[in-house]
Amino acid sequence: MAGKKSSMKFLISKLREVGVTVVKTTEFVQGQTCRWGLARSFLPPARKLLTNRIAEKTNLSFMLEGVRRQTSAFDVLQSVESFFCCFSASCKSNPSSFTVDVFQQIPGTLLVKGSVQPKQGSALGTFSSIFLQLMISSKKDFAGRNTHIDDLSLIS
């Protein structure tokens, strides 16, 4: 944990020098007090492959970390709506088939949750595929510069 944001760049560079492969940061805010947390790993990032197991899930979610402070959950939700419109799908026109929700976890981190109704079984694979594309698109549009598309994984 660091008490000065300016310390973070120095600490991260020192960690990289000693062979750290993954560095994640977070911001702790309470009132007007800010602290910065740092996590590291010497192990290479695990690459998770999508399997049939994911295509069968009715609830999928992913985190958007490093979101700019001026970006709200509502902004991301509007982007999600536009994204699904590109696929001629809309939660508004048929809310009984699927839903997508966006929640702010902590400042700079949003959780995007999507679910398809169990009775729409034939749509599970399609929804999973579209949701994965949504995750990649959202991370490119809203996540911080440190997010790498290779490191993405779906949280169930």
Side-chain angles (χ1 to χ4, degrees):
M1 186 174 290
K4 291 183 179 179
K5 188 174 184 177
S6 60
S7 304
M8 296 302 283
K9 285 185 181 181
F10 173 76
L11 292 171
I12 292 169
S13 68
K14 288 297 179 186
L15 288 171
R16 296 280 187 207
E17 284 178 18
V18 295
V20 170
T21 57
V22 178
V23 176
K24 299 289 182 181
T25 61
T26 189
E27 186 176 347
F28 303 99
V29 180
Q30 184 168 0
Q32 292 186 2
T33 303
C34 255
R35 298 290 182 258
W36 292 267
L38 189 80
R40 52 87 185 127
S41 175
F42 288 93
L43 301 175
R47 300 196 188 267
K48 296 184 180 181
L49 300 176
L50 286 177
T51 63
N52 290 339
R53 192 177 120 264
I54 289 177
E56 296 168 1
K57 292 185 178 182
T58 58
N59 296 306
L60 300 171
S61 62
F62 62 88
M63 299 290 288
L64 288 175
E65 298 176 303
V67 176
R68 293 174 295 279
R69 284 191 182 269
Q70 63 269 25
T71 302
S72 69
F74 185 73
D75 296 328
V76 175
L77 196 55
Q78 285 180 317
S79 174
V80 167
E81 182 180 9
S82 298
F83 181 87
F84 275 101
C85 284
C86 292
F87 290 95
S88 299
S90 171
C91 300
K92 290 180 178 178
S93 64
N94 190 2
S96 62
S97 61
F98 72 91
T99 60
V100 177
D101 298 304
V102 180
F103 305 94
Q104 181 170 359
Q105 299 292 91
I106 56 174
T109 303
L110 299 173
L111 173 66
V112 179
K113 295 175 75 172
S115 61
V116 63
Q117 302 307 315
K119 60 186 171 197
Q120 303 292 327
S122 61
L124 284 176
T126 304
F127 181 75
S128 297
S129 175
I130 292 172
F131 200 75
L132 175 63
Q133 291 176 33
L134 170 67
M135 177 178 61
I136 292 168
S137 174
S138 297
K139 291 222 177 194
K140 283 181 183 175
D141 293 345
F142 295 106
R145 293 182 204 157
N146 296 335
T147 302
H148 302 288
I149 299 303
D150 320 343
D151 299 338
L152 303 181
S153 60
L154 287 175
I155 305 165
S156 51

